[in-house]
Amino acid sequence: MWRNSRSFSSKLRSSSSSSNPSTTTSIFTFYHPIGVAQPCLRALYPYTSSLFSSLSPSPSSSDPIRLGFLNSHGVRGFSSVADPSSLASSSVVSRAREAVDLSRHYGRCYWEISKARLSMLVVATSGTGFVLGSGSTVDLGGLCWTCAGTMMVAASANSLNQVFEIKNDAKMKRTHRRPLPSGRITILHAATWATSVGLIGTAMLATKANILAAGLAASNLILYAFVYTPLKQIHPVNTWVGAIVGAIPPLLGWAAASGQISLNAMILPAALYFWQIPHFMALAYLCRDDYAAGGYKMYSLADATGQRTAAVALRNCLYLIPLGYLAYDWGITSGWFCLESSILTLAITATAFSFYRHCTMQKARRMFHASLLYLPVFMSGLLFHRLSDNKQTMKEDGAKRMLDNLVQEDRYNAEKIKIEHSRGVAQGRRPPVAYASVAPFPFLPVPVYAES
């Protein structure tokens, strides 16, 4: 038996040294019976196991398994594999690594399918509306809950949008790598994710804010996922419906803070509505080929020259000009915001006018970049120059005091007239004339003196 084993080991040594000397150790790697696969030659396992048992001493249950072999120099060496505890720990590590990789994979999919950057923009507009509607004191806890609920609802709406447009996204260059078209996540998984976060976000707004804010969030989700999304493949009016969807989040934030919707709450929604039109028009012009390949009905696709697209963008930029003055006139901000908003709006209007004069990709891209800059600067100006409740109350108190003075003066004059009238009656003057219909015909009044 020893002779056979030596001849067999010499054959293995000669074959391994002729192929690759560096792989001699890996040939004798042990295949452990608990099922953990090590790099080995499975076909040679019965022979190598008998060889190793004859060459190496029998290990105890606690010692690691050591496998003997003869190297090219005739020196016997040993290769330590592992004991069961180390194999179990390596199995735990591999499973933990797999769990981390899986969580990263689905985290990335959720990030992309929720359009996280767009959802964070929605959260920013909602948070700005909350601060504007809070007055002098801002409830930080309420602000956080409102932002979290808005983020969930926005993520749900964007996820449902991608579930419904999976076939269209697969045809477009800029969207074919999304999780659903690329097959990284299933439709059922995405729909379950969208439904769950949508319900949780709406319930959070209902319990932590108020029913009005939750109702606005739910209506916006329905409008975006079930009206705007299918309308994109039917009619170009989808752009204006999408602008309404984008204008609701700041209204949601205002309602969450104040519990009501007033005229002052319409400034930021109006700015978002008019801002989205030139923003979308520039994007639709830049991505005309992609939208055509995806089967979307955009306004720019029916405009070969781009002149009408640029005209719509320019017109809506002009609508933004009076918003700064209205914010100042309605007591929302100081006069400085009126000036800054006018300069900012004139800047984006200049890019729209340049695009209108020369309808090129470069001009459209410049207007698109200007629209990206406009919104954060406008919202920052609103927050920086806003008037707190104390300043507004001082103005209201001054107007109220003026009104009270006028009322008191009127009362004083009325008392004075009454006193003079009583003095005149006492001096024998006739009272004022009263008209009574005592003639045979009711349309012929006869003047009589009122009884004193």
Side-chain angles (χ1 to χ4, degrees):
M1 180 178 177
W2 174 250
R3 185 176 303 169
N4 295 334
S5 301
R6 290 190 61 184
S7 62
F8 183 73
S9 61
S10 61
K11 290 180 181 179
L12 286 178
R13 186 169 62 252
S14 61
S15 62
S16 61
S17 61
S18 61
S19 60
N20 189 1
S22 63
T23 59
T24 304
T25 305
S26 63
I27 293 176
F28 294 93
T29 307
F30 183 72
Y31 185 84
H32 200 269
I34 65 173
V36 181
Q38 301 291 339
C40 65
L41 298 175
R42 294 172 180 262
L44 300 178
Y45 172 68
Y47 304 102
T48 55
S49 60
S50 61
L51 172 65
F52 297 151
S53 61
S54 63
L55 293 178
S56 59
S58 59
S60 61
S61 59
S62 59
D63 296 334
I65 301 173
R66 300 181 63 84
L67 307 178
F69 63 91
L70 294 174
N71 58 19
S72 58
H73 301 286
V75 180
R76 181 177 296 172
F78 295 92
S79 173
S80 175
V81 179
D83 59 359
S85 61
S86 63
L87 291 173
S89 62
S90 64
S91 177
V92 171
V93 171
S94 63
R95 289 178 183 177
R97 189 172 299 171
E98 289 178 0
V100 171
D101 293 339
L102 193 65
S103 62
R104 286 179 180 177
H105 168 74
Y106 282 111
R108 184 66 181 175
C109 290
Y110 293 152
W111 176 274
E112 294 181 15
I113 200 173
S114 302
K115 299 179 182 178
R117 288 184 294 180
L118 179 60
S119 298
M120 286 190 288
L121 176 62
V122 174
V123 170
T125 60
S126 177
T128 304
F130 187 95
V131 174
L132 292 175
S134 297
S136 58
T137 57
V138 179
D139 182 11
L140 294 180
L143 176 62
C144 293
W145 285 114
T146 301
C147 290
T150 305
M151 183 70 182
M152 290 185 177
V153 175
S156 174
N158 290 323
S159 300
L160 289 175
N161 173 267
Q162 293 193 40
V163 168
F164 296 149
E165 294 181 346
I166 179 174
K167 294 182 179 179
N168 305 86
D169 288 344
K171 301 175 184 177
M172 299 172 62
K173 291 182 180 180
R174 67 185 187 91
T175 57
H176 73 280
R177 293 183 179 179
R178 286 177 174 176
L180 283 171
S182 61
R184 286 181 286 152
I185 192 173
T186 63
I187 297 178
L188 180 61
H189 192 149
T192 304
W193 154 261
T195 305
S196 302
V197 295
L199 292 175
I200 294 173
T202 305
M204 184 181 298
L205 289 172
T207 54
K208 300 298 182 179
N210 49 60
I211 298 298
L212 179 58
L216 287 172
S219 62
N220 209 30
L221 190 154
I222 294 171
L223 185 63
Y224 183 81
F226 300 99
V227 179
Y228 167 72
T229 298
L231 198 59
K232 290 168 67 176
Q233 305 175 42
I234 299 174
H235 198 273
V237 76
N238 65 80
T239 301
W240 284 265
V241 177
I244 296 175
V245 173
I248 291 179
L251 206 62
L252 184 157
W254 186 290
S258 63
Q260 60 182 354
I261 296 176
S262 60
L263 184 62
N264 291 354
M266 303 306 296
I267 290 293
L268 187 54
L272 275 164
Y273 178 84
F274 294 127
W275 164 81
Q276 286 177 93
I277 304 300
H279 176 77
F280 286 158
M281 290 298 167
L283 181 62
Y285 186 84
L286 292 171
C287 304
R288 284 189 298 179
D289 296 337
D290 247 8
Y291 281 124
Y296 295 115
K297 304 294 183 182
M298 293 299 171
Y299 188 80
S300 60
L301 297 181
D303 183 19
T305 62
Q307 199 73 26
R308 288 183 295 169
T309 304
V312 172
L314 177 60
R315 184 166 60 247
N316 283 270
C317 286
L318 293 175
Y319 295 155
L320 291 169
I321 294 177
L323 294 181
Y325 173 75
L326 292 176
Y328 164 69
D329 186 61
W330 294 352
I332 301 175
T333 62
S334 63
W336 285 107
F337 177 75
C338 178
L339 178 61
E340 294 173 3
S341 174
S342 300
I343 296 174
L344 181 64
T345 308
L346 289 175
I348 189 176
T349 305
T351 60
F353 181 72
S354 178
F355 177 48
Y356 177 76
R357 290 186 60 190
H358 306 285
C359 298
T360 62
M361 287 290 186
Q362 181 182 3
K363 302 294 183 181
R365 190 174 292 107
R366 183 176 298 177
M367 186 180 70
F368 180 75
H369 291 160
S371 68
L372 292 178
L373 181 64
Y374 174 86
L375 188 61
V377 175
F378 184 88
M379 292 194 301
S380 300
L382 272 175
L383 294 176
F384 185 76
H385 295 290
R386 78 181 186 98
L387 297 178
S388 62
D389 251 6
N390 294 333
K391 296 180 181 178
Q392 294 182 16
T393 303
M394 290 174 61
K395 287 187 175 182
E396 293 175 359
D397 290 344
K400 188 176 180 180
R401 285 196 298 270
M402 186 180 298
L403 183 61
D404 290 342
N405 292 335
L406 291 175
V407 171
Q408 290 179 2
E409 186 176 353
D410 290 341
R411 288 178 179 175
Y412 174 77
N413 292 334
E415 292 291 338
K416 186 176 180 180
I417 292 172
K418 188 181 293 185
I419 293 173
E420 291 180 354
H421 172 68
S422 60
R423 289 178 180 176
V425 172
Q427 294 175 3
R429 298 177 182 175
R430 289 184 175 180
V433 176
Y435 290 89
S437 299
V438 294
F441 303 99
F443 53 84
L444 294 177
V446 176
V448 295
Y449 291 102
E451 297 180 0
S452 57

